[in-house]
Amino acid sequence: MQNVICLFAGIKVKINYPYPSFERFAAEYLLPVDAAFDMEITVSEADVFCERDGAEGHYSDAYLQTLAVYRKFCTAAAERGVLLFHGSALAMDGNAYIFSAPSGTGKSTHAALWRKVFGNRVQMINDDKPLLRFFEKETLVYGTPWNGKHRLGGNFSAPLKGICFLERGQKNAVRALTARESLTRLLSQCFLPDDESAAQAVLSMVKEIVQKTPIWLLTCNISEEAARISCAALTGKREWLSEEGINGQTEEFTRE
Amino acid sequence: MKLLQGVLVSEVDGEYVAVTLGKAGKKFNGMIRMNGTAAFLVQRLQSEQSEESLTQALCETYDVSAEEAAQNVRMVLDKLRGAGLLEE
């Protein structure tokens, strides 16, 4: 067993693990070896083996180990208000927004369009599996080492101001989702622990998102217009939005 | 009969969604959207029930005829059975 102490979503966690290279994987998030910690988790070889069952294709033990660590951490941290949400999270002008969708829809592609259109006003927090942490006043989105195949993201956090679900379409349109419409979509993109009380904590956090965070549905193609439209919705320039959502109003957006 | 352990119901604004964990999650990997009546029955099924006890509970709580209640109960049980979530 080897061990490291990491800082994930503001929680200092000591991690005991069997296979090499977790230290390198989490390099940006390491604390000194003698740091005090808030919680301790231990991942066994059996835990790593379990991950092989759920994974499609053949992966190295080192990779499966990272999955086992994240599963244990997110289960243990759920009752401290930490939630793993599947999506591409970025910060614009200091606020965090998340694009979410089933794998393969184009979350990362859409986030890349934002970087192209808005340049250095946009920083990637995490391109795949950011952590959300719920505080009384706000919910913060944190970068983590689990940041997708392109390893995009950074070790920083920003307050969550909106979530945008993506669907592919011929044209670009955005509309607000109601609480009822949001629930299944959010639940399907959250990590749900097998432990019942941790899972209950996750359900409460999802409910909190529904109640506090504006949630949008963007139907989009791969174009700069798509990025401008989702940006107008997420950043709160709702004067651009009609009841049915935005359609073909790029002229006004480009004036921004 | 009762529900397998690990079926949790989440509610927002009158929308009920059941999710499955652990053993139940291995049987049925997904979510079940339901109305308030179905959610009521699912909560009851966290402990041992019969078709009769569920029908009676439904009649006591909602303004429905015994016939309607029984029909509702059968429908919900069929769904849960189909998803493999009942222990009988």
Side-chain angles (χ1 to χ4, degrees):
Chain A
M1 278 280 173
Q2 307 168 50
N3 68 73
V4 287
I5 299 174
C6 292
L7 184 66
F8 297 142
I11 291 177
K12 300 182 196 94
V13 55
K14 181 175 180 185
I15 303 164
N16 304 300
Y17 60 96
Y19 300 106
S21 85
F22 186 79
E23 187 169 356
R24 194 158 30 126
F25 173 78
E28 262 192 90
Y29 296 81
L30 296 179
L31 294 175
V33 286
D34 56 353
F37 49 89
D38 306 314
M39 65 165 73
E40 180 170 7
I41 58 174
T42 299
V43 165
S44 65
E45 288 179 33
D47 292 327
V48 175
F49 188 77
C50 278
E51 296 295 332
R52 199 176 291 285
D53 272 350
E56 289 164 23
H58 188 81
Y59 293 105
S60 67
D61 288 333
Y63 172 74
L64 295 169
Q65 171 169 269
T66 65
L67 299 183
V69 169
Y70 214 14
R71 184 183 298 278
K72 280 240 159 135
F73 173 75
C74 293
T75 302
E79 286 172 80
R80 299 180 188 226
V82 176
L83 174 72
L84 163 55
F85 191 76
H86 179 222
S88 182
L90 52 75
M92 178 158 172
D93 302 337
N95 291 322
Y97 306 101
I98 305 179
F99 301 110
S100 189
S103 296
T105 307
K107 298 181 287 284
S108 297
T109 305
H110 192 75
L113 285 170
W114 272 51
R115 296 197 298 277
K116 188 175 166 202
V117 175
F118 307 112
N120 58 15
R121 286 172 71 188
V122 173
Q123 289 104 38
M124 291 305 295
I125 300 176
N126 184 301
D127 201 27
D128 189 40
K129 289 173 183 151
L131 290 173
L132 272 51
R133 188 160 178 203
F134 294 76
F135 296 96
E136 196 136 320
K137 285 196 183 142
E138 60 185 1
T139 300
L140 296 182
V141 183
Y142 287 83
T144 73
W146 293 269
N147 52 11
K149 56 176 181 273
H150 305 298
R151 304 298 320 252
L152 287 174
N155 184 1
F156 69 103
S157 67
L160 177 64
K161 298 294 177 181
I163 295 175
C164 186
F165 286 98
L166 305 181
E167 280 179 4
R168 284 194 199 172
Q170 296 287 321
K171 288 187 183 167
N172 296 309
V174 70
R175 69 176 178 91
L177 289 175
T178 64
R180 298 177 59 128
E181 290 175 308
S182 305
L183 183 60
T184 24
R185 288 176 191 273
L186 288 169
L187 284 171
S188 65
Q189 300 304 328
C190 283
F191 166 66
L192 196 61
D194 269 341
D195 176 82
E196 197 160 325
S197 58
Q200 285 290 9
V202 165
L203 296 186
S204 321
M205 289 186 273
V206 169
K207 195 161 174 163
E208 197 169 329
I209 297 178
V210 171
Q211 287 161 344
K212 292 188 180 163
T213 310
I215 301 172
W216 304 88
L217 176 65
L218 175 74
T219 306
C220 62
N221 53 35
I222 302 171
S223 65
E224 294 187 10
E225 181 194 60
R228 290 202 180 89
I229 284 177
S230 64
C231 180
L234 284 166
T235 57
K237 298 193 168 43
R238 299 206 199 162
E239 61 268 27
W240 304 123
L241 304 180
S242 65
E243 290 262 300
E244 297 75 33
I246 307 172
N247 264 312
Q249 295 194 21
T250 39
E251 277 304 298
E252 278 112 321
F253 294 126
T254 38
R255 262 187 244 142
E256 257 297 290
Chain B
M1 71 191 92
K2 66 185 278 200
L3 218 51
L4 284 187
Q5 212 187 339
V7 181
L8 303 184
V9 178
S10 175
E11 182 273 334
V12 168
D13 216 5
E15 170 91 343
Y16 296 84
V17 178
V19 296
T20 53
L21 323 169
K23 202 166 131 195
K26 297 218 162 51
K27 287 254 179 170
F28 180 82
N29 182 11
M31 287 178 283
I32 307 171
R33 290 178 63 191
M34 53 182 83
N35 60 19
T37 320
F40 171 84
L41 293 173
V42 165
Q43 293 299 15
R44 289 273 153 160
L45 280 162
Q46 305 281 356
S47 59
E48 187 65 33
Q49 299 287 341
S50 65
E51 224 171 288
E52 293 71 36
S53 69
L54 289 171
T55 306
Q56 198 185 341
L58 208 55
C59 282
E60 281 165 10
T61 314
Y62 295 90
D63 185 22
V64 288
S65 70
E67 205 176 307
E68 271 178 283
Q71 209 181 342
N72 257 304
V73 167
R74 272 196 298 275
M75 208 168 66
V76 171
L77 290 178
D78 279 351
K79 283 247 161 104
L80 293 172
R81 211 170 268 136
L85 295 177
L86 282 187
E87 225 164 54
E88 317 200 47

